[in-house]
């Protein structure tokens, strides 16, 4: 990347500032001063640099609903749009949110691959394909940085599963490491020039990524030319000397850690050359200069992009990411979707009323509003045309108090005096570092009371409970219902061991609509000696339980009486979330039974799949339509109404192969053996593996149906591009994602049978033809040659395939290199 005059001014300002710092200040600048920021250095005009989680929304430095965040669809949904330009618009919105919250750097995007559908953080990553991931990730990074906010592309590298993620050794051969797992990072460095990278917790081939001098210093920096800041994942840094010599610039969080005073001591003792510290400080100051918080250095972005309507973009993104994988003809011969005008609809599924709009873990934010499928369809359909029944609930486990609750947290000292009060959007208290209500401190807090009111949505027996380790007092209706201590059990999952398992403490019969006072008091343990101070516990609730057969029967009767039945099925936070991997791909609860029962009485059954990653759909051939909505963000219900009623077209194509059943998934090994996770499948993940093993998926990579039809009319191919002409042969405007795959005619280099080489979206009206030129990158014809440790171009014959999906090739052209 060419150095501009502004770059030179920033570099000069960085060098001038660096020259004014003594060793102790330099090493202090490389360590977090708290959970989310680096220290200011007023003597050189440096303000405090602030980080925040931000794959789908910008949380800011406080875990609070007092300052809500726009919640966009999950990264799988963004990737499903197959549109880097749309990802760039999403990034610009998040930069706008970051500036509003005083955040300089987003801890995103996550570009690890969908190596296995069991990966617990699958929803936060884009795709199984490195090229698609790199293109979408580049769009996202460019968008955020268009707005003057930095990114930290993560998790570099080999963090493709969650089990033992803090210590696991991902054992990856050089060729798949280069061609698959490093490839998205390399593409983003080349195409988007990110200002930050986050190194992962795990080892790669025996070396912790925070200390991996080969991959960070030699590959990322020297080979690719990355000149940004390398930030540790939170609590990942382990070795003062190993980290600084391994190319790690910033250790987060702080103030206790392996940098700061320990790093200064290591320099003074001769273990670390001061030049290594200077290199790291230079990278931090360059990041500060780019975001505009270093005096004398012009920010990269002087004028930010025009304001973005967050709700409108969230709604558009959701519809563009929805993937219609099945849409059969109704009795009138037309596809069941979009719904016929005036049709009556029977909606069922617990997730239709209480949608899961975002994934769990560090991606969680608190949106100002959530539009559920029930909300969206109620607003869009004529009065009297929609009925709703629960049908089946994916979970019978207590969850943080939410719908019907109005709660706040009151912090008190040992005398009972109030120190501070904070609002709570749910019954979950999750305060980390300085994320405490104003006036409260870890040193002075003796108790926290979650207090408020609950207005039941249903009459019956309500269960209340706790999650967390320590002493609790639970009261409902002014009466103490439980007083006791929750101790650590034998939980295998480290998150569950830390938080404690959910426990039911009381059951109370309540009446619908009648408010009752609730309270949960927690005795705060002494955490002042911990390197990372945190308080985490939850006030839990579960509504009245009805017999599953009764719920299904109720939904069946409603479906029998309606023109169309819409069933929403979903995963839960206990099924897919950060911190653990999945054991199977089954939908929880009796949701499969609900779908089959409804489909048996209504041939126009539409199933909405509210999941961030693949699940088994054993009834997929028994229903008229299947629409995958991922975790659709705060406007998901409104977008769903748009798509079902035909106001918008489902724009998505699968970014990952959808297996027919768990046993068919080619890669299911996500559990380490003696601390090692062997990537024995080599290059063959996702569609590459399905093709190699001759396995037919439920729905192939790239699959997705719109509301019109397309004819592929011509294909011309050269070594640098494919030119494809398509015609909209349907009756309404539409969008098509043209995919180009390469397949070697003969191969002696162990390559997959075919791979994605390029794609583009086109729009056209009825009868309109469009010609699109799709670049074919040089890397599409190259392999990593371990003997020469370089890329090698492979000549010979290729088929260039213009396709609607990996399983649906429409045109083939021959190409000889």
């Amino acid at each position: 990347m060419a150095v501009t005059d502004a770059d030179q001014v920033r570099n000069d300002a960085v060098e001038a500032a660096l020259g004014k710092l003594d060793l102790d200040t330099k090493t202090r600048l490389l360590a977090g001063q708290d959970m989310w920021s680096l220290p200011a250095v007023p003597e050189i005009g440096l303000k405090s640099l602030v980080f925040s989680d931000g794959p789908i929304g910008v949380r800011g430095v406080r875990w609070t609903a007092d300052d809500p965040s726009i919640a966009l669809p999950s990264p799988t949904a963004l990737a499903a749009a197959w549109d880097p330009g749309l990802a760039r618009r999403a990034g610009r919105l998040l930069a706008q949110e970051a500036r509003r919250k005083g955040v300089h750097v987003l801890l995103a995007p996550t570009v690890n691959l969908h190596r296995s559908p069991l990966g617990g953080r699958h929803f936060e990553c884009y795709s199984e394909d490195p090229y698609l991931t790199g293109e979408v990730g580049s769009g996202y990074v460019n968008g955020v940085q268009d707005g003057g906010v930095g990114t930290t592309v993560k998790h570099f590298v080999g963090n493709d599963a969650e089990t033992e993620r803090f210590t696991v050794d991902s054992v990856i051969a050089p060729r798949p490491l280069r061609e698959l797992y490093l490839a998205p990072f390399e593409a983003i460095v080349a195409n988007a020039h990110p200002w930050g990278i986050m190194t992962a917790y795990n080892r790669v081939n025996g070396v912790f990524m925070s200390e991996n001098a080969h991959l960070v210093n030699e590959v990322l920096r020297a080979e690719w030319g990355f000149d940004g800041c390398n930030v540790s994942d939170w609590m990942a840094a382990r070795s003062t000397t190993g980290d600084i010599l391994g190319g790690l610039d910033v250790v987060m969080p702080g103030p206790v850690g392996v940098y700061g005073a320990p790093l200064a001591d290591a320099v003074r003792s001769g273990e670390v050359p001061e030049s290594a510290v200077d290199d790291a400080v230079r990278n931090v100051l360059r990041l500060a200069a780019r975001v505009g918080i270093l005096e004398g250095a012009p920010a990269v972005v002087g004028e930010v992009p025009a304001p973005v309507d967050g709700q409108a973009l969230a709604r558009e993104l959701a519809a563009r990411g929805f993937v219609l994988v099945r849409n059969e003809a109704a009795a009138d011969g037309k596809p069941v979707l979009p719904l016929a005008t005036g049709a009556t609809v029977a909606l069922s599924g617990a997730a239709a009323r209480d949608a899961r709009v975002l994934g769990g873990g560090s991606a969680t934010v608190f949106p100002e509003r959530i539009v559920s499928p029930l909300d969206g369809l109620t607003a869009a359909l004529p009065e009297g045309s929609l009925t709703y029944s629960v049908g089946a609930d994916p979970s019978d486990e207590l969850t943080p108090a939410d719908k019907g609750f109005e709660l706040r947290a009151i912090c008190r000292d040992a005398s009972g005096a109030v120190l501070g009060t904070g609002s709570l959007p749910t019954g979950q208290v999750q305060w980390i570092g300085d994320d405490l209500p104003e006036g409260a401190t870890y040193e002075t807090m003796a108790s926290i009371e979650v207090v408020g009111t609950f207005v039941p949505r249903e009459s019956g027996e309500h269960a209340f409970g706790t999650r967390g380790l320590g002493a609790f007092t639970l009261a409902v209706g002014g009466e103490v219902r439980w007083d006791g201590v929750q101790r650590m059990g034998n939980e295998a999952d480290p998150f569950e061991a830390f938080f404690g398992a959910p426990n039911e403490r009381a059951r109370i019969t309540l009446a619908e609509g009648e408010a009752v006072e609730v309270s949960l008091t927690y005795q705060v343990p002494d955490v002042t000696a911990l390197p990372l101070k945190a308080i985490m516990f939850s006030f839990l609730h579960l509504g009245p339980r009805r017999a599953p057969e009764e719920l299904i029967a109720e939904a069946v009767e409603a479906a029998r009486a309606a023109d169309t039945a819409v069933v929403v099925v979903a995963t839960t936070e206990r099924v897919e979330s950060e911190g653990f991997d999945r054991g199977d791909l089954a939908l929880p609860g009796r949701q499969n039974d609900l779908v089959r029962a409804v489909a048996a009485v209504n041939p126009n059954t539409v199933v909405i799949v509210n999941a961030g990653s693949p699940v088994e759909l054993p009834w997929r051939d028994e229903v008229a339509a299947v629409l995958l909505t991922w975790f659709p963000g705060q406007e998901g219900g409104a977008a769903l109404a748009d798509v079902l009623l035909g106001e918008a077209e489902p724009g998505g194509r699968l970014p990952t192969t959808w297996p027919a059943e768990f046993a068919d998934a080619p890669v299911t090994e996500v559990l380490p053996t003696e601390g090692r996770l062997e990537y024995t499948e080599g290059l063959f993940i996702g569609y590459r593996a399905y093709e190699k093993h001759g396995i037919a998926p439920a729905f192939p990579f790239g699959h997705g149906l719109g509301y019109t039809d397309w004819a592929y009319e011509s294909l011309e191919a050269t070594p640098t591009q494919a030119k494809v002409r398509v015609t909209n042969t349907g009756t309404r405007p539409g969008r098509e994602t043209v995919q180009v795959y390469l397949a070697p005619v003969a191969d002696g280099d162990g390559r997959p049978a075919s791979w994605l080489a390029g794609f583009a979206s086109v729009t056209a009206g009825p009868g309109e033809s469009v010609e699109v030129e799709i670049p074919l990158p040089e890397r599409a014809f190259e392999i990593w040659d371990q003997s020469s440790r370089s890329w090698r171009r492979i000549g010979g014959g290729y088929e260039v395939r213009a396709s609607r999906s990996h399983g649906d090739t429409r045109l083939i052209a021959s190409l000889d290199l």
Side-chain angles (χ1 to χ4, degrees):
M1 186 171 179
V3 177
T4 66
D5 290 342
D7 289 329
Q8 190 60 55
V9 172
R10 278 188 291 273
N11 289 338
D12 291 345
V14 165
E15 293 302 323
L18 177 61
K20 298 176 183 177
L21 300 178
D22 60 25
L23 176 61
D24 292 306
T25 306
K26 286 188 288 191
T27 58
R28 182 167 57 88
L29 185 55
L30 303 181
Q33 66 177 347
D34 51 29
M35 187 66 182
W36 300 113
S37 67
L38 297 181
V41 185
E43 56 266 35
I44 60 169
L46 176 66
K47 297 178 182 177
S48 176
L49 184 76
V50 178
F51 299 90
S52 172
D53 283 313
I56 58 93
V58 183
R59 188 166 66 231
V61 299
R62 298 279 310 282
W63 189 276
T64 173
D66 291 340
D67 183 16
S69 308
I70 293 289
L72 299 179
S74 64
T76 42
L78 186 60
W82 286 60
D83 188 342
L86 190 66
R88 190 164 192 161
R89 291 172 57 203
R92 286 183 172 183
L93 170 61
L94 294 177
Q96 175 179 297
E97 285 279 277
R99 294 192 306 271
R100 180 175 65 82
K101 290 173 174 273
V103 168
H104 304 115
V105 181
L106 287 188
L107 303 174
T110 304
V111 300
N112 301 107
L113 296 185
H114 296 169
R115 172 179 170 263
S116 167
L118 296 182
R121 215 165 172 177
H122 198 298
F123 63 88
E124 196 180 318
C125 310
Y126 290 129
S127 170
E128 69 188 24
D129 182 78
Y131 180 74
L132 177 59
T133 297
E135 291 294 294
V136 175
S138 293
Y140 179 103
V141 169
N142 276 319
V144 174
Q145 295 182 175
D146 284 347
V149 174
T151 55
T152 51
V153 187
K154 63 184 188 180
H155 306 86
F156 188 74
V157 61
N159 181 193
D160 309 295
E162 292 292 277
T163 305
E164 299 180 22
R165 62 176 174 152
F166 301 104
T167 57
V168 65
D169 184 7
S170 298
V171 182
I172 314 172
R175 188 170 168 192
L177 181 60
R178 286 284 190 157
E179 294 185 24
L180 294 179
Y181 302 102
L182 286 172
F185 293 94
E186 182 181 11
I188 292 169
V189 169
N191 299 329
H193 196 57
W195 301 344
I197 291 279
M198 180 189 289
T199 43
Y201 290 118
N202 53 280
R203 297 177 173 93
V204 170
N205 298 329
V207 183
F208 278 116
M209 279 309 306
S210 59
E211 306 170 33
N212 204 311
H214 167 60
L215 290 177
V216 173
N217 291 336
E218 296 175 15
V219 176
L220 175 64
R221 291 200 183 279
E223 184 181 326
W224 299 350
F226 173 69
D227 67 351
C229 185
N230 176 15
V231 182
S232 75
D233 205 339
W234 265 230
M235 302 296 289
R238 299 166 175 86
S239 165
T240 299
T241 301
D243 288 341
I244 194 67
L245 298 181
L248 182 65
D249 299 322
V250 170
V251 168
M252 292 297 292
V256 178
V258 299
Y259 281 5
L263 180 54
D265 291 343
V267 173
R268 292 188 175 105
S269 68
E271 296 176 60
V272 171
E274 190 166 355
S275 60
V277 173
D278 288 345
D279 286 343
V281 172
R282 189 175 283 113
N283 293 330
V284 171
L285 293 175
R286 186 181 299 114
L287 175 57
R290 284 170 166 164
V291 300
I293 60 169
L294 178 63
E295 192 174 290
V300 170
V301 176
E303 184 175 342
V304 299
V308 179
D309 182 330
Q311 287 187 3
L313 183 56
R315 186 170 180 166
E316 179 187 352
L317 286 171
R320 288 285 306 278
F322 289 172
V323 183
L324 183 62
V325 294
R326 180 176 172 85
N327 193 18
E328 298 300 297
D332 61 3
K334 296 180 180 179
V336 70
L337 292 180
L339 298 176
T341 302
T344 56
V345 176
L347 179 66
S348 62
R353 181 178 65 180
D354 300 324
R356 188 173 181 201
V357 301
L358 44 78
S362 61
T364 304
V365 296
F366 299 122
E368 187 173 25
R369 71 173 198 167
I370 291 176
V371 183
S372 69
L374 178 57
D375 296 332
L377 288 170
T378 298
L381 291 171
E383 188 174 350
S385 62
L386 177 70
T387 62
Y388 171 70
S389 51
V390 172
D393 195 323
S395 175
D396 58 1
E397 188 175 85
L398 285 87
T399 57
D402 187 4
K403 298 294 189 298
F405 288 85
E406 288 192 8
L407 302 171
R408 65 190 187 280
I410 303 174
C411 304
R412 295 185 173 91
D413 64 16
S415 71
V418 174
L419 299 171
T421 301
S423 64
L424 291 177
T426 72
Q428 182 179 16
V429 173
Q430 185 165 305
W431 297 336
I432 305 173
D434 294 334
D435 188 14
L436 297 173
E438 187 175 351
T441 68
Y442 292 102
E443 290 75 17
T444 56
M445 266 192 305
S447 69
I448 301 168
E449 183 184 13
V450 175
V451 62
T453 58
F454 172 49
V455 179
R457 296 188 295 184
E458 300 164 285
S459 296
E461 192 174 54
H462 290 254
F464 296 88
T466 62
R467 187 180 190 191
L469 305 180
F472 295 92
T473 302
L474 171 67
V476 179
E479 181 181 339
V480 173
R481 307 288 181 160
W482 184 75
D483 186 77
V485 177
Q486 186 164 333
R487 304 188 188 281
M488 185 175 291
N490 58 355
E491 296 85 4
D493 177 70
F495 269 55
E496 188 165 283
F498 181 73
F499 291 120
N503 279 271
E504 182 180 312
R505 302 304 186 187
R507 292 194 179 194
I508 305 159
T509 301
L510 301 173
E512 178 185 348
E514 294 186 10
V516 61
E517 293 182 355
V518 294
S519 169
L520 178 69
T521 301
Y522 174 66
Q523 302 302 319
V524 177
D526 183 3
V527 298
T528 55
L530 298 179
L532 178 60
K533 300 174 182 61
I535 295 175
M536 299 184 183
F537 68 93
S538 295
F539 175 33
L540 306 178
H541 169 259
L542 182 65
R545 298 289 88 187
R546 293 169 58 194
E549 291 76 13
E550 180 184 338
L551 291 174
I552 291 173
E554 188 177 84
V556 166
E557 288 311 303
R560 195 192 308 272
D563 297 321
T564 304
V566 177
V567 184
V568 182
V569 298
T571 59
T572 70
E573 196 158 328
R574 299 279 281 175
V575 172
E576 55 175 328
S577 184
E578 180 180 348
F580 56 89
D581 293 307
R582 295 195 283 173
D584 57 43
L585 302 180
L587 284 167
R590 296 285 297 277
Q591 296 181 101
N592 288 331
D593 294 338
L594 170 65
V595 172
R596 285 192 158 122
V598 168
V601 301
N602 192 320
N604 297 331
T605 294
V606 178
V607 182
I608 312 301
V609 182
N610 178 197
S613 47
V615 291
E616 291 176 338
L617 308 177
W619 33 257
R620 61 189 179 279
D621 295 330
E622 304 169 31
V623 300
V626 179
L627 182 68
L628 312 180
T629 63
W630 314 103
F631 297 144
Q634 67 176 61
E635 304 298 316
L640 179 63
D642 292 340
V643 167
L644 293 184
L645 300 179
E647 297 298 319
E649 186 179 39
R653 304 293 185 264
L654 284 177
T656 197
T657 307
W658 209 274
E661 56 186 36
F662 171 60
D664 290 343
V667 181
T668 57
E669 188 56 74
V670 294
L671 302 179
T673 300
E674 296 182 351
R676 290 164 57 90
L677 183 59
E678 305 266 0
Y679 287 43
T680 55
E681 69 283 347
L683 295 173
F684 297 94
I685 66 171
Y687 64 85
R688 295 165 165 83
Y690 282 88
E691 190 168 27
K692 176 183 180 181
H693 299 297
I695 301 170
F699 305 109
F701 175 80
H703 175 63
L705 307 171
Y707 285 160
T708 189
D709 296 313
W710 296 85
Y712 279 59
E713 298 186 334
S714 65
L715 166 64
E716 299 174 20
T718 72
T720 59
Q721 74 169 20
K723 185 183 295 184
V724 185
R725 184 178 179 84
V726 296
T727 297
N728 180 350
T729 59
T731 59
R732 59 177 283 164
R735 176 185 297 272
E736 175 70 336
T737 299
V738 181
Q739 303 162 39
V740 175
Y741 296 86
L742 292 180
V745 175
D747 184 62
D749 296 286
R751 290 180 290 178
S754 62
W755 56 90
L756 181 70
F759 63 90
S761 292
V762 298
T763 57
E768 184 181 356
S769 297
V770 181
E771 190 169 75
V772 60
E773 295 179 355
I774 301 173
L776 299 180
E778 288 186 16
R779 186 57 54 78
F781 299 96
E782 296 176 336
I783 67 169
W784 180 255
D785 187 333
Q786 177 56 18
S787 61
S788 65
R789 296 188 179 183
S790 63
W791 292 98
R792 177 163 59 90
R793 188 173 176 85
I794 306 298
Y798 289 86
E799 285 186 351
V800 180
R801 300 172 178 175
S803 307
R804 296 206 72 198
S805 74
H806 184 256
D808 185 3
T809 296
R810 296 301 177 92
L811 298 170
I812 297 176
S814 295
L815 182 65
D816 287 306
L817 294 185

